[in-house]
Amino acid sequence: MPFPAAACPHALRSCLPRGTLALLLASAATLPAQAADAEAGFWEREHMLGDPGGLRSRLEDAGVTLTLQETSEVLGNVSGGFRQGAVYEGATLMGVQVDTGKAFGLPGGTFNASAYQIHGRGLSSNNIGNINTVSGIEATRATRLFELWYEQALFDDRVSVRVGQQAADQEFQVSQYGGLFINASFGWPTLAAVDLPSGGPAYPLATPGVRLKVKPREDLAVLLGVYSGDPAPVGENPDPQVRNPSGTSFTLNRGVFVIGEVQYSINGGEDATGLPGTYKVGGWYNSNQFSDQRYANDGLLLADPSSSGVALGRTNNWSLYAVADQMVWRKPGTKDQGIGVFGRITGTTNDRNPVNFFMNVGVTWKGAIPARENDTIGLGIGYAHIGAKARRYDRDVTYFTDASYPIRNSETVLELTYQAQVTPWLIVQPDFQYVFRPAGGVPDPLDPTKRIGDAAIFGLRSTITF
């Protein structure tokens, strides 16, 4: 995803983010090639490879935008987790977007296809075992299709309909300022990632669906998405990414996931003098069956050795959420340099969800260092609370086994990060995270007599736009 001068790799739609890989891909595909690439020097061009032979410009003139970007990072926990050490992981993002008006004379249409190749191994899964995943690109190694959709804009772009394989984290529950951060919880919320089947339609698993967007005014938008309820097919492997290894399962018989959101922005116009902000409220519903966190299907407690050991099934699930992004100070004479704050909160029921409450808050400052106006520093906190029924299950285990079993409570992650725009095509981002009570406080799999320790994490990410 080609970035504007101070863009964040995790979040490109607004900077932006996600910070999800997903936003990164989609955003990149929409950014136009720079004709200046052909004339600019190596360190000044928008793309590392420039515009070889004018090919990039000719394709863009024909309505075709190609994207190639590599995100690489080294992350390591010097303390905590169930083991200490460092890992390398990376994701190569590839995309093509076609403006059907330029290409075929069909105005208002956009075709988008994206894929990625994920390599290396993740720190959360290999060293820490936490639920606020350390990196937004962590996933099972694979080369997979991500999104494949067609969008048609109508009525002077006030209405648009998108049909095909999509990821909801591209447009829903997104925080602009939160997209700066590396930890995945600042992208697709941890509550949805943990509670929804296969993590829901979000990186790295998109799913067939339809999205409607209506903008009755410039400052107001209403979005509604209807997707397959589970992006992975049924299978014995517990990893849904293994059950859908290439991203081409296109599941249509796994229930339904519906999400809706209202977005309201202030001071967003070109001539606005006030500080810009965006406020969103929304909710989602999933029709699948979910496991009760405490009771078995025979009415006994799951922890009771005489029970069936099979969780009671509960049909349907839902959540409500709110997101706020607000600039609170802007450097005089600039458009986007200054301090922004964000907050996001989401909640759901206790009986069928391991995580019943999630929130993150933070502050970012673009241009904090003189002469580095395109760099951004940020401090963020993510908090995931374990539901009451899941905590009672832990107490039940202690009761029936007469053993000292930890009672899960919550997990908190603190992240301090600095994103440096070294060149228009290269971003380097040193990062520090601290995870309190990984997974809410669970036994160390290597030593069940103690809990997994709090983890201190250092890392460095680079993003190259080819």
Side-chain angles (χ1 to χ4, degrees):
M1 326 185 243
F3 302 103
C8 13
H10 232 221
L12 284 147
R13 224 177 257 285
S14 62
C15 96
L16 171 108
R18 189 188 80 123
T20 86
L21 177 61
L23 277 183
L24 190 62
L25 248 178
S27 192
T30 61
L31 296 175
Q34 302 295 320
D37 273 356
E39 302 176 1
F42 181 73
W43 301 108
E44 292 78 32
R45 60 180 55 158
E46 293 292 322
H47 304 83
M48 190 185 79
L49 299 180
D51 188 10
L55 176 62
R56 191 188 303 272
S57 298
R58 290 198 299 273
L59 287 172
E60 187 183 57
D61 291 341
V64 179
T65 301
L66 300 180
T67 298
L68 179 62
Q69 186 178 67
E70 170 67 21
T71 300
S72 299
E73 56 195 23
V74 175
L75 298 163
N77 58 314
V78 297
S79 65
F82 50 84
R83 67 165 61 93
Q84 289 77 54
V87 302
Y88 163 80
E89 61 186 341
T92 304
L93 305 112
M94 301 155 282
V96 57
Q97 193 165 93
V98 179
D99 179 336
T100 62
K102 289 183 177 180
F104 310 115
L106 177 61
T110 303
F111 169 79
N112 181 80
S114 58
Y116 50 83
Q117 204 288 319
I118 300 171
H119 36 282
R121 58 196 185 99
L123 191 68
S124 285
S125 58
N126 285 275
N127 286 28
I128 301 175
N130 60 319
I131 56 177
N132 291 302
T133 306
V134 171
S135 171
I137 67 170
E138 179 171 333
T140 302
R141 300 175 188 175
T143 299
R144 63 168 63 240
L145 173 72
F146 186 45
E147 290 196 305
L148 182 67
W149 49 256
Y150 175 77
E151 181 176 49
Q152 181 64 52
L154 305 165
F155 308 114
D156 295 325
D157 293 337
R158 293 194 176 273
V159 176
S160 67
V161 180
R162 181 178 293 181
V163 180
Q165 173 129 313
Q166 306 172 52
D169 66 347
Q170 293 282 73
E171 298 181 291
F172 293 91
Q173 304 192 78
V174 173
S175 165
Q176 171 183 345
Y177 295 121
L180 168 72
F181 297 89
I182 287 178
N183 190 282
S185 67
F186 294 97
W188 189 238
T190 300
L191 181 147
V194 171
D195 293 343
L196 285 170
S198 304
Y203 171 80
L205 296 173
T207 195
V210 179
R211 191 273 287 143
L212 172 67
K213 183 176 183 178
V214 180
K215 291 191 67 175
R217 333 186 298 216
E218 285 302 312
D219 61 352
L220 182 66
V222 180
L223 285 77
L224 177 66
V226 181
Y227 308 91
S228 172
D230 189 338
V234 176
E236 294 183 1
N237 196 299
D239 186 347
Q241 297 174 45
V242 173
R243 301 201 306 271
N244 185 4
S246 63
T248 57
S249 291
F250 305 125
T251 57
L252 295 171
N253 60 346
R254 302 284 288 145
V256 62
F257 173 74
V258 181
I259 185 168
E261 183 173 293
V262 178
Q263 305 175 350
Y264 177 69
S265 60
I266 62 173
N267 301 316
E270 288 293 328
D271 300 325
T273 57
L275 297 173
T278 304
Y279 299 85
K280 306 171 183 178
V281 293
W284 55 254
Y285 163 84
N286 190 290
S287 69
N288 279 289
Q289 189 171 85
F290 296 79
S291 297
D292 191 279
Q293 296 298 297
R294 193 184 186 197
Y295 289 97
N297 60 4
D298 56 7
L300 299 177
L301 294 170
L302 269 171
D304 187 339
S306 63
S307 77
S308 68
V310 179
L312 173 67
R314 294 188 175 275
T315 304
N316 304 330
N317 207 349
W318 59 270
S319 174
L320 299 176
Y321 64 87
V323 185
D325 289 286
Q326 180 63 56
M327 178 175 273
V328 296
W329 176 78
R330 179 163 48 200
K331 182 178 179 180
T334 69
K335 182 176 179 62
D336 60 355
Q337 292 182 46
I339 299 174
V341 297
F342 68 92
R344 184 171 55 171
I345 183 172
T346 179
T348 186
T349 57
N350 283 290
D351 57 359
R352 67 204 69 189
N353 296 297
V355 175
N356 74 320
F357 177 81
F358 172 81
M359 67 174 291
N360 51 24
V361 296
V363 57
T364 68
W365 187 351
K366 183 178 179 181
I369 299 177
R372 298 295 307 173
E373 64 273 8
N374 290 323
D375 292 0
T376 306
I377 188 170
L379 177 65
I381 299 173
Y383 172 84
H385 185 261
I386 305 301
K389 284 289 187 72
R391 299 199 309 275
R392 288 170 186 157
Y393 168 82
D394 294 344
R395 293 188 180 95
D396 296 338
V397 171
T398 299
Y399 173 79
F400 284 106
T401 62
D402 196 27
S404 178
Y405 189 82
I407 309 302
R408 290 169 292 169
N409 188 312
S410 63
E411 177 184 298
T412 302
V413 59
L414 172 72
E415 181 173 358
L416 176 65
T417 195
Y418 185 86
Q419 189 179 87
Q421 186 88 41
V422 180
T423 74
W425 50 264
L426 172 63
I427 290 174
V428 175
Q429 185 169 356
D431 188 79
F432 171 77
Q433 299 180 40
Y434 195 89
V435 179
F436 301 87
R437 297 182 305 278
V442 296
D444 186 332
L446 303 182
D447 184 358
T449 64
K450 64 179 182 179
R451 296 185 181 188
I452 294 178
D454 296 351
I457 302 158
F458 293 87
L460 181 67
R461 167 182 283 187
S462 68
T463 305
I464 299 175
T465 300
F466 296 96

